[in-house]
Amino acid sequence: MAAQSSSPATTNIMLAIYEKKTTSIDLYRSLRNYITFVYSEREAQNLEDDLQTLKQYRSDLERQSDPSPTARRDLLQTYYKALCLVETRFPISSDKDHVNTLTFVWHDAFKNKLKASQQSIHLEKAAVLFNLGAVYSQIGLSYDRATVEGRKQAIHAFIAAAGAFAYLRDNASAKASMGSSTTVDVSVECAGMLERLMLAQAQECVFENTIAKGSTPGVCAKISRQVGIYYEEAFAALNVAPLKDHFDRAWIAHVQLKAALFFAEACYRYSLELHEKEEIAEEIARLRTAVSALAEAKKNSRGAAAQLLDAISKLEANINRNLERAVKENDRVYLMRVPSPHSLPLLPSFSMVKPLPMNDVLDASKEKMFASLVPDNSAKALSRYTEMVDDVIRTQAEKLQQGSELARVRLKEMDLPDSILVLEGSVTLPQDLKEDVEAVQISGGPTGLEAELQQLKDLRRVNQELLIQTEELLQKEATEDSQFRSQFGTRWTRPHSSTLTKNLLDRLNRFAGNLKQAAESDARIERSVRDNYGHIAILDKRPIESALPTLSRPIMSLDANEDAIVGALKQSLRQLENLGAQRAGLEDMLKEMKRKDDILPKLMTSTGSYDDLFRKEIAKYDSICQDIGHNIEAQEQLLFHIQAQNEQFSAVFNLEDYRASREKCYKQIQAAVAKYREIKDNINEGLKFYVTLQDAITNIKQQSSDFVMTRSIQCREMMEDVQRQVAGLSFQDRKNTSSPSPAPYNNYPPVNHQRSPPADPQNVHQHGHSQQTPPYYHQPQQEQSPMPGYAHPLPPYSTSQTPPPYHIPHPTPGAPYPPQPGQEYGQPAYPGWRGPYYNNAQQQQQQQQGSMPRPPYTVPGPYPPYQGGSIGGGYYKQ
């Protein structure tokens, strides 16, 4: 039933509870058959180790052969966790679809002949919890309470025993008592009585510690009184059904005597404090009450331990001695009226112990046994709980986001904190406008426009020089042709130069007209830069913020409280910033809580209602939800306060005038950016025009060089022919000694449209006589198609309409830019002669030109190509 032990220092004995006894059962076979039937044989094989472990736990529990109470305690705790996992995965009952081959049998701990037999795991769990509390009580009884450390260890063991019995009462007793076969020892009433008894013994150890430390009588009285109260509560439970007739008389006598002993001890200790205060009358009353309580308890002491009776006798002797002394002093000195014991107030008490919570100790949610078995009801419950959590997270996250957005909008309306920063000298532009200004400054800014205008002038000059050089080249050839024609008269039969160069000269004239109009557009750009430089020069300021107006303190102040106003507003803004940082932290906490919130193990070990578990688990979010609500409420109040402070700040520093001047400056900068971009776009279009025109003129110049070179070769051959005629050589002799007779001079061989790279005519003159020049006339190949000679007019190169300035005719509708030179000027404008001599001359020219630099200003400007159909700003029009 119970073991007794006493401490040499106190001679007070205490009680320990014996364990319940059970019979053997085969958990392994029954549970394995269920797994095979419901799940699969493969699943049963995978869970073989867990089944064997559970079987071993039960076998060790049945033997009760552990030499150490602590090892027995660990076994009981581990086995109870395993039972929690079994309960949620294996329905054990008499139902045919359940595990119906298991019957748990447990004997009563206080009357071993009584036993309970149930096909329910609740009886097994209740019995294990009872034995856990019993083992804890045995551990507490085993410590030597004569030492301080022994008393501390005993206190911890007894409160753990109280916790185990309390856990039994709250979680298992009711379910275990629902069967037809049950025992009293696991009932709610018995578990509650044992909890009080263990708390009484733990508080008694505290009292022994207090006496050993020499605490004041008042403190000892309070602790002693609480010991008596715990014993009184246990004694009251033992005197009512179902415990009244279930325990031995010695048990009841022990608890009753302990209750009386510590009530009398409290009265005795309290009387010592009254004597020091010279409250003799109450001292006498308290001592008489103690004597009466001990006398009443001794009447029912049959079966009580002798050591306990000795302790009562010693205390009774001390009480009687102090009572006799107090009565004499009152009769001789104080002469106070002694109050009735019933009129005395209750003695003060103070509890130093409470049951150890066993939820964490017996939590099976972290156990891995049978983890692969997840019933459908647990999976559905988890999904439902997840939805509940998501709803909480979503609602609170929306509150946090709305709070941050509200603060941002309200501050924007009040122009905060920008106005404070402006007062401190931190002037800033709106981000989009600042980016526009930075782009302007990166591209060179207004000061860089002068260099770009000079670049336009240089490109125009280069194009003009190319035109002049080309015209002079053609003019020189025409002059030489006229001189030979005058010299030889009718013998000079080749076509006039003016007939062959008409198309080239027409295009040169059109380009000259384009250059003239482009010069006018350049002049308009220069005028625009000069006229608007005063407005766009603001973009050259670095930093651009230096161009903005500043907010200064008022010149005159009546109360000189500007600093206080600014300081209070800045302090409120810092508080608002702290609230924002707090919201960010709360949002992170919500996400982290959700990430760690895995209740599946608890669902698998829960034996009660899922709703109760959900309410308990969701409740952990209540604290952070309250913090979020407090944050939003505090921000709303702070924003109202900031609004009032900002109104005062605006009035003192005249913010309205500052804002008006600032907006005016913003508009000036925006207008300057727009005008700069307009001028920049026009300059870029001009640069692109000149580069494209330069390529076109260069192409025509090359064609003219080719023409002059060919005419020079023809001129030499014709001069040789004319000279032979003058010398009296016959046409027939020349035919017999050289090559087939030539065709008439007005029918030259066709021109190959795939021209080799142009050759420099000077190179031809330098190297022409070092090569063997073939005869001018050749018999055309069969596969060649004849081309018209010089006498045939050439098709026009382009339309006769003169294009506007900075514009080359478009090859297709919608193409925004002039055609490439290879597209418009790629075909020769005249028929020419080609042969080995010409090709060799070209190769020599290429070798000389390969090391020469490209013409200047052939790289487009920094801005992207113009994409419109016309040049903006009125400076370049089609």
Side-chain angles (χ1 to χ4, degrees):
M1 180 188 76
Q4 296 181 351
S5 176
S6 63
S7 170
T10 62
T11 68
N12 280 338
I13 62 173
M14 291 185 179
L15 299 178
I17 314 300
Y18 288 128
E19 292 185 58
K20 291 168 66 68
K21 295 181 180 180
T22 185
T23 59
S24 298
I25 57 173
D26 188 4
L27 286 175
Y28 172 84
R29 182 56 53 190
S30 299
L31 297 184
R32 195 184 192 287
N33 290 341
Y34 178 82
I35 295 173
T36 303
F37 177 75
V38 175
Y39 297 95
S40 65
E41 174 61 26
R42 182 177 180 180
E43 190 68 35
Q45 293 175 359
N46 293 337
L47 296 173
E48 183 68 23
D49 292 342
D50 291 343
L51 291 171
Q52 289 290 350
T53 301
L54 183 64
K55 178 182 179 181
Q56 188 63 42
Y57 290 161
R58 176 66 185 185
S59 297
D60 293 343
L61 184 71
E62 294 167 0
R63 286 197 301 268
Q64 296 186 347
S65 59
D66 297 302
S68 169
T70 55
R72 188 72 178 175
R73 174 202 62 195
D74 296 340
L75 171 64
L76 290 167
Q77 291 176 354
T78 304
Y79 182 57
Y80 182 82
K81 296 176 184 178
L83 289 176
C84 293
L85 300 175
V86 169
E87 180 182 7
T88 56
R89 292 167 173 83
F90 303 95
I92 300 175
S93 71
S94 59
D95 193 301
K96 65 178 182 178
D97 294 329
H98 293 179
V99 182
N100 53 17
T101 58
L102 287 176
T103 301
F104 300 100
V105 178
W106 285 91
H107 293 267
D108 192 294
F110 303 104
K111 290 187 176 182
N112 195 47
K113 295 181 179 180
L114 301 178
K115 65 180 180 179
S117 177
Q118 296 183 16
Q119 285 184 303
S120 171
I121 200 172
H122 298 305
L123 176 61
E124 183 85 350
K125 292 175 65 178
V128 171
L129 287 174
F130 183 93
N131 285 356
L132 181 61
V135 169
Y136 269 121
S137 70
Q138 296 169 19
I139 294 173
L141 207 64
S142 66
Y143 291 118
D144 181 11
R145 302 195 330 267
T147 64
V148 175
E149 186 63 27
R151 288 190 292 269
K152 289 182 178 179
Q153 293 176 339
I155 292 171
H156 185 271
F158 284 131
I159 63 174
F165 288 122
Y167 195 85
L168 168 64
R169 177 196 62 202
D170 298 336
N171 297 278
S173 290
K175 296 177 182 178
S177 301
M178 291 175 63
S180 58
S181 176
T182 185
T183 53
V184 174
D185 57 352
V186 294
S187 65
V188 173
E189 294 81 5
C190 186
M193 183 275 294
L194 293 175
E195 178 208 9
R196 297 290 98 183
L197 177 62
M198 295 298 108
L199 287 177
Q201 295 187 158
Q203 183 82 5
E204 186 175 348
C205 293
V206 175
F207 174 74
E208 293 172 357
N209 237 0
T210 305
I211 295 297
K213 291 190 299 184
S215 299
T216 62
V219 173
C220 294
K222 292 178 181 180
I223 295 176
S224 176
R225 182 66 192 108
Q226 186 61 49
V227 177
I229 291 174
Y230 284 140
Y231 276 116
E232 289 170 5
E233 291 174 349
F235 178 70
L238 288 170
N239 279 280
V240 295
L243 307 181
K244 183 176 182 181
D245 300 324
H246 194 72
F247 288 85
D248 291 341
R249 181 62 193 169
W251 247 81
I252 298 176
H254 174 86
V255 175
Q256 183 180 12
L257 286 176
K258 279 293 185 91
L261 172 65
F262 282 96
F263 172 75
E265 184 77 39
C267 292
Y268 172 70
R269 300 289 174 178
Y270 192 69
S271 68
L272 295 178
E273 186 177 42
L274 292 173
H275 188 79
E276 293 177 358
K277 298 178 181 178
E278 296 185 353
E279 297 180 4
I280 303 300
E282 186 177 351
E283 177 188 2
I284 295 173
R286 294 292 181 183
L287 292 174
R288 288 175 177 174
T289 302
V291 171
S292 300
L294 291 176
E296 184 66 25
K298 289 170 66 176
K299 293 178 182 179
N300 300 308
S301 62
R302 182 168 57 88
Q307 292 176 337
L308 179 58
L309 293 175
D310 290 343
I312 292 177
S313 298
K314 291 179 181 179
L315 177 61
E316 188 175 20
N318 292 334
I319 292 174
N320 287 328
R321 183 173 58 253
N322 286 359
L323 177 60
E324 183 179 354
R325 182 196 61 191
V327 170
K328 289 181 180 179
E329 291 179 355
N330 188 48
D331 291 342
R332 294 175 182 177
V333 180
Y334 299 102
L335 301 177
M336 295 181 179
R337 185 175 66 83
V338 178
S340 171
H342 302 289
S343 64
L344 296 176
L346 296 177
L347 286 173
S349 62
F350 187 77
S351 177
M352 297 291 290
V353 295
K354 61 180 180 179
L356 179 69
M358 302 300 290
N359 292 316
D360 294 336
V361 176
L362 301 176
D363 182 18
S365 61
K366 298 180 181 179
E367 300 297 319
K368 303 301 181 182
M369 184 178 288
F370 304 118
S372 61
L373 296 182
V374 180
D376 290 341
N377 58 343
S378 297
K380 293 178 181 178
L382 177 62
S383 177
R384 178 184 166 197
Y385 175 77
T386 302
E387 291 178 358
M388 296 171 63
V389 172
D390 289 342
D391 183 63
V392 172
I393 297 296
R394 183 170 52 254
T395 302
Q396 299 305 316
E398 288 176 356
K399 289 183 179 180
L400 292 172
Q401 293 174 0
Q402 291 173 359
S404 298
E405 182 64 17
L406 175 64
R408 187 190 67 81
V409 172
R410 295 281 292 275
L411 289 179
K412 185 69 174 178
E413 293 174 350
M414 292 183 284
D415 200 17
L416 291 174
D418 293 345
S419 56
I420 296 292
L421 296 176
V422 169
L423 182 63
E424 296 175 347
S426 300
V427 185
T428 58
L429 279 176
Q431 186 61 29
D432 55 346
L433 187 56
K434 184 176 180 64
E435 292 175 355
D436 291 343
V437 173
E438 289 176 350
V440 168
Q441 293 178 347
I442 290 173
S443 66
T447 55
L449 293 178
E450 193 65 32
E452 296 186 11
L453 290 176
Q454 183 61 43
Q455 190 176 0
L456 283 178
K457 294 178 181 178
D458 293 341
L459 282 174
R460 187 171 69 247
R461 175 182 53 77
V462 169
N463 280 279
Q464 289 173 344
E465 291 175 354
L466 285 174
L467 278 177
I468 293 172
Q469 292 171 6
T470 305
E471 290 174 354
E472 289 177 349
L473 189 64
L474 295 176
Q475 184 62 39
K476 180 180 179 181
E477 192 279 330
T479 302
E480 291 177 352
D481 181 68
S482 297
Q483 291 175 354
F484 286 118
R485 195 174 301 279
S486 300
Q487 179 180 352
F488 296 105
T490 57
R491 293 187 184 90
W492 198 259
T493 59
R494 70 172 182 173
H496 290 273
S497 294
S498 60
T499 302
L500 301 178
T501 59
K502 182 179 184 304
N503 194 24
L504 292 175
L505 293 174
D506 288 345
R507 275 179 280 169
L508 291 175
N509 290 333
R510 286 200 301 271
F511 290 155
N514 286 341
L515 279 175
K516 181 179 179 181
Q517 295 182 16
E520 297 175 357
S521 297
D522 293 347
R524 287 197 298 271
I525 294 176
E526 293 179 5
R527 286 196 301 273
S528 178
V529 172
R530 289 194 303 270
D531 295 344
N532 295 284
Y533 194 82
H535 301 296
I536 64 176
I538 191 174
L539 302 178
D540 276 331
K541 292 194 175 182
R542 296 177 184 268
I544 187 62
E545 287 80 7
S546 61
L548 296 177
T550 58
L551 181 64
S552 58
R553 296 177 178 273
I555 299 175
M556 297 183 62
S557 176
L558 298 178
D559 48 8
N561 64 342
E562 295 86 358
D563 292 338
I565 293 174
V566 174
L569 183 56
K570 291 170 64 176
Q571 178 65 25
S572 298
L573 291 175
R574 282 193 292 268
Q575 294 176 5
L576 188 64
E577 184 178 359
N578 293 336
L579 289 175
Q582 184 184 14
R583 283 195 301 276
L586 291 172
E587 187 172 3
D588 292 340
M589 288 175 59
L590 274 175
K591 295 177 181 178
E592 185 66 15
M593 287 182 66
K594 183 180 184 301
R595 187 183 66 84
K596 295 182 177 180
D597 192 5
D598 181 16
I599 69 163
L600 180 59
K602 295 182 180 179
L603 286 173
M604 300 301 298
T605 58
S606 175
T607 58
S609 170
Y610 284 148
D611 292 336
D612 294 338
L613 177 63
F614 291 165
R615 282 193 293 271
K616 179 181 177 182
E617 292 297 321
I618 284 291
K620 62 175 170 279
Y621 292 93
D622 291 345
S623 176
I624 192 170
C625 292
Q626 292 176 0
D627 292 341
I628 291 174
H630 294 158
N631 181 283
I632 299 300
E633 183 179 354
Q635 176 181 270
E636 187 65 25
Q637 296 176 357
L638 184 58
L639 284 173
F640 281 118
H641 185 58
I642 290 175
Q643 184 175 2
Q645 291 177 323
N646 188 60
E647 291 175 355
Q648 187 179 12
F649 174 78
S650 300
V652 171
F653 289 89
N654 196 12
L655 283 185
E656 293 300 327
D657 291 347
Y658 164 75
R659 290 180 183 135
S661 60
R662 182 187 62 185
E663 290 301 323
K664 180 180 178 181
C665 188
Y666 286 168
K667 292 180 180 179
Q668 291 176 351
I669 295 175
Q670 291 172 348
V673 170
K675 178 58 69 175
Y676 175 84
R677 287 177 175 173
E678 176 185 323
I679 295 173
K680 186 73 174 179
D681 290 344
N682 291 334
I683 292 176
N684 288 337
E685 286 299 318
L687 294 173
K688 287 186 288 187
F689 168 80
Y690 281 127
V691 170
T692 304
L693 184 62
Q694 180 178 338
D695 292 339
I697 297 176
T698 302
N699 189 286
I700 291 183
K701 181 181 178 183
Q702 185 61 55
Q703 293 180 23
S704 299
S705 298
D706 294 346
F707 169 75
V708 171
M709 180 186 67
T710 302
R711 295 278 284 183
S712 176
I713 296 172
Q714 294 171 354
C715 179
R716 287 196 300 271
E717 292 181 351
M718 183 170 284
M719 287 179 65
E720 292 173 359
D721 203 14
V722 170
Q723 288 173 358
R724 282 194 294 269
Q725 289 178 12
V726 172
L729 297 176
S730 67
F731 180 78
Q732 186 63 33
D733 292 338
R734 284 187 288 109
K735 176 179 180 183
N736 294 331
T737 58
S738 59
S739 60
S741 57
Y745 287 118
N746 60 350
N747 189 15
Y748 293 100
V751 179
N752 185 2
H753 280 262
Q754 285 187 330
R755 295 191 301 108
S756 299
D760 191 343
Q762 295 178 1
N763 294 338
V764 175
H765 290 303
Q766 293 172 3
H767 305 285
H769 297 288
S770 64
Q771 302 289 339
Q772 183 178 358
T773 305
Y776 180 75
Y777 301 102
H778 292 273
Q779 184 66 30
Q781 302 294 328
Q782 295 296 328
E783 64 273 9
Q784 289 179 332
S785 59
M787 290 291 293
Y790 285 123
H792 289 253
L794 294 173
Y797 176 73
S798 60
T799 59
S800 59
Q801 180 181 0
T802 302
Y806 291 1
H807 176 73
I808 303 299
H810 298 252
T812 58
Y817 299 113
Q820 296 298 323
Q823 297 173 350
E824 187 175 3
Y825 307 106
Q827 302 300 329
Y830 56 91
W833 171 84
R834 294 178 183 275
Y837 179 89
Y838 178 83
N839 293 334
N840 291 335
Q842 279 188 321
Q843 293 174 4
Q844 295 173 6
Q845 183 184 17
Q846 287 178 348
Q847 293 174 0
Q848 292 182 2
Q849 288 183 344
S851 61
M852 296 177 62
R854 288 179 55 84
Y857 305 110
T858 59
V859 181
Y863 273 60
Y866 177 70
Q867 299 295 329
S870 61
I871 301 176
Y875 297 99
Y876 301 99
K877 299 291 185 181
Q878 286 189 356

